[in-house]
């Protein structure tokens, strides 16, 4: 790949094609080399133009985005960013399992403040995703196909383990960005409710998608997975997902610990913020906290790692060999405060080892 990023835009909406093209052509180092109105035309242009990255609508005539993804990943693996309406949020996570690298919300056909947020999100993700090692993405996609749903195999009311943690860990906080949804599924499906810990996750994600993400994880994991709301209790066997576009902090309320949802501050470039979650959890749990930093762009989580360690907690970071984007884990490791660096398939085991499981 040259220094310039060559992008193909595939979308049946003329408005979306124009809007995405205009957004990207304003970015230094990015060239939109073509567009396609459906999956069939998109496939021809992928093979003819050999783009560095594709933006893809999933709902198109003649050939849908899933068929397009399957053929591209089998024949010319190329980084793909899905452009999805919030009403199609379940499809986004299916697309990530097919090998898509990232997703952004669709532009609105109205000039709204959201359009600025979408532009920033799209540009940031294009710059990161275009450099993605597709070998890692495809290996992860092959290993993250969901098992049959486990909901019917467990009681309706969650069991709360009373087993003590060997290392005294009571809370596990996890941060992720690009490549995070399949990585989180891999980690969480390797755990069950025998783990005597609560969990909270900050996955960089726009508003409107995290509820479907939590529901999807809840179907395939033994743990109880919820999109966090103000006042939700932090309990063993429960996973709270920070709502898209907002931050999740943990606060002590009497004898209990609860979720506190915050609007992002100007300095929070990446939202939901991993730093905010880690820092707040460190204040509550101190040495009884384990932080985990997974694949992702940027340095979100590095300051949070320092906060965890200053209060006596422990930290695991994902190894470069499996990180789709080795940004967040690299910055975490660079603090010199990470206790253990593990490839993704071993992270569940690394968590379990803290409980003698």
């Amino acid at each position: 790949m040259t220094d310039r990023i060559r992008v193909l835009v595939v979308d049946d909406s003329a408005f979306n094609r124009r809007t995405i093209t205009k957004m990207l052509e304003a970015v230094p180092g990015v060239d939109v080399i073509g567009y396609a109105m459906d999956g069939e035309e998109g496939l021809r242009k992928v093979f003819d133009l050999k783009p560095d990255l594709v933006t893809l609508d999933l709902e198109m005539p003649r050939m849908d985005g899933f068929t397009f993804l399957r053929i591209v990943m089998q024949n010319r693996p190329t980084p793909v960013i899905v452009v999805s309406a919030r009403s199609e949020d379940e499809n986004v996570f299916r697309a990530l399992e097919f090998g898509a690298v990232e997703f952004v919300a669709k532009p609105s056909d109205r000039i709204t403040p959201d359009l600025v947020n979408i532009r920033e999100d799209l540009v940031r993700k294009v710059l990161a995703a275009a450099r993605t090692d597709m070998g890692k993405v495809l290996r992860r996609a092959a290993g993250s196909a969901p098992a049959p749903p486990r909901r019917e195999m467990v009681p309706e009311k969650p069991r709360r383990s009373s087993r003590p943690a060997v290392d005294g860990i009571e809370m596990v906080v996890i941060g992720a960005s690009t490549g995070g949804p399949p990585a989180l599924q891999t980690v969480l499906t390797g755990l069950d409710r025998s783990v005597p810990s609560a969990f909270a996750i900050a996955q960089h994600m726009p508003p409107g998608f995290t509820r479907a993400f939590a529901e999807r994880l809840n179907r395939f994991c033994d743990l109880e997975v919820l999109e966090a709301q103000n006042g939700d209790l932090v309990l063993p066997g429960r996973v709270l997902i920070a709502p898209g576009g907002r931050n999740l902090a943990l606060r002590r309320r009497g004898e209990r610990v609860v979720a506190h949802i915050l609007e992002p501050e100007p300095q929070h470039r990446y939202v939901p913020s991993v730093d905010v979650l880690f820092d707040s959890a460190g204040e509550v749990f101190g040495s009884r906290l384990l932080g985990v930093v997974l694949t992702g762009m940027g340095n979100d989580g590095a300051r949070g790692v320092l906060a965890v360690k200053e209060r006596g907690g422990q930290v695991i970071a994902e190894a470069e060999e499996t990180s789709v984007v080795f940004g967040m884990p690299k910055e975490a490791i660079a603090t010199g405060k990470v206790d253990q660096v593990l490839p993704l398939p071993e992270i569940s085991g690394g968590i379990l080892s803290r409980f003698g499981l």
Side-chain angles (χ1 to χ4, degrees):
M1 189 170 67
T2 66
D3 288 339
R4 301 190 68 80
I5 299 171
R6 303 164 66 253
V7 180
L8 173 68
V9 177
V10 182
D11 200 305
D12 67 333
S13 162
F15 171 81
N16 284 350
R17 292 195 303 271
R18 287 194 305 270
T19 304
I20 292 168
T21 298
K22 186 175 180 180
M23 288 177 181
L24 294 180
E25 286 184 335
V27 181
V30 176
D31 298 321
V32 177
I33 59 170
Y35 65 85
M37 293 179 283
D38 58 54
E40 288 186 3
E41 183 183 10
L43 273 181
R44 289 195 298 271
K45 292 196 174 182
V46 165
F47 292 112
D48 290 345
L49 301 177
K50 299 178 174 56
D52 301 316
L53 181 139
V54 176
T55 69
L56 177 68
D57 181 23
L58 292 175
E59 301 295 329
M60 297 181 294
R62 300 178 67 187
M63 179 186 290
D64 65 20
F66 296 108
T67 305
F68 173 92
L69 271 171
R70 185 164 52 246
I71 296 172
V72 166
M73 294 307 162
Q74 289 173 349
N75 296 278
R76 193 183 186 279
T78 303
V80 172
I81 294 178
V82 170
V83 182
S84 176
R86 288 165 186 165
S87 61
E88 301 164 359
D89 46 13
E90 176 68 17
N91 287 340
V92 164
F93 303 108
R94 286 183 57 210
L96 294 177
E97 291 172 1
F98 275 77
V101 175
E102 262 290 6
F103 70 92
V104 296
K106 271 186 179 176
S108 167
D109 57 4
R110 297 178 294 115
I111 302 300
T112 70
D114 285 346
L115 197 60
V116 174
N117 296 332
I118 291 167
R119 181 186 300 116
E120 293 175 354
D121 197 34
L122 174 65
V123 169
R124 184 166 62 240
K125 289 177 177 178
V126 164
L127 295 177
R131 312 297 179 182
T132 298
D133 182 339
M134 288 306 296
K136 293 179 182 178
V137 175
L138 295 179
R139 285 193 296 273
R140 178 165 296 187
S144 66
R150 300 172 68 175
R151 291 294 104 196
E152 72 277 9
M153 297 190 294
V154 296
E156 289 185 8
K157 292 185 178 180
R159 301 184 302 272
R160 304 298 177 201
S161 173
S162 59
R163 181 172 182 160
V166 172
D167 283 356
I169 301 297
E170 294 182 8
M171 184 75 205
V172 179
V173 288
I174 306 176
S177 183
T178 304
L184 287 164
Q185 182 169 305
T186 296
V187 171
L188 295 182
T189 53
L191 306 171
D192 61 36
R193 292 183 219 167
S194 66
V195 179
S197 174
F199 295 80
I201 292 171
Q203 160 70 51
H204 296 163
M205 200 169 284
F209 290 91
T210 40
R211 182 178 297 277
F213 180 47
E215 290 172 351
R216 185 175 184 83
L217 288 174
N218 193 54
R219 288 200 299 275
F220 298 114
C221 301
D222 188 39
L223 300 168
E224 178 192 26
V225 187
L226 305 170
E227 181 189 49
Q229 299 182 43
N230 267 319
D232 278 345
L233 292 177
V234 172
L235 299 170
R238 171 176 285 180
V239 183
L240 296 179
I241 306 280
R246 304 174 77 190
N247 290 330
L248 169 62
L250 305 183
R251 299 282 187 262
R252 184 167 295 284
R253 183 183 294 169
E255 295 298 314
R256 296 182 171 184
V257 178
V258 300
H260 191 55
I261 308 304
L262 305 169
E263 294 299 325
E265 297 179 11
Q267 70 268 25
H268 297 147
R269 184 181 181 191
Y270 303 104
V271 181
S273 169
V274 180
D275 285 334
V276 168
L277 175 60
F278 280 32
D279 189 29
S280 68
E283 288 184 7
V284 174
F285 289 96
S287 64
R288 296 165 291 134
L289 178 67
L290 171 65
V292 181
V293 181
L294 301 178
T295 175
M297 58 185 173
N299 63 356
D300 190 20
R303 184 173 61 81
V305 165
L306 294 174
V308 171
K309 294 302 295 182
E310 284 171 2
R311 298 176 175 98
Q314 302 178 40
V315 179
I316 296 173
E318 183 177 356
E320 182 175 9
E321 65 196 77
T322 59
S323 295
V324 169
V325 176
F326 190 56
M328 285 168 47
K330 180 180 180 180
E331 294 294 331
I333 294 166
T335 66
K337 301 297 184 179
V338 169
D339 297 282
Q340 197 172 18
V341 179
L342 296 172
L344 180 67
E346 297 179 21
I347 288 178
S348 295
I351 294 171
L352 291 172
S353 70
R354 267 80 179 167
F355 304 99
L357 299 173

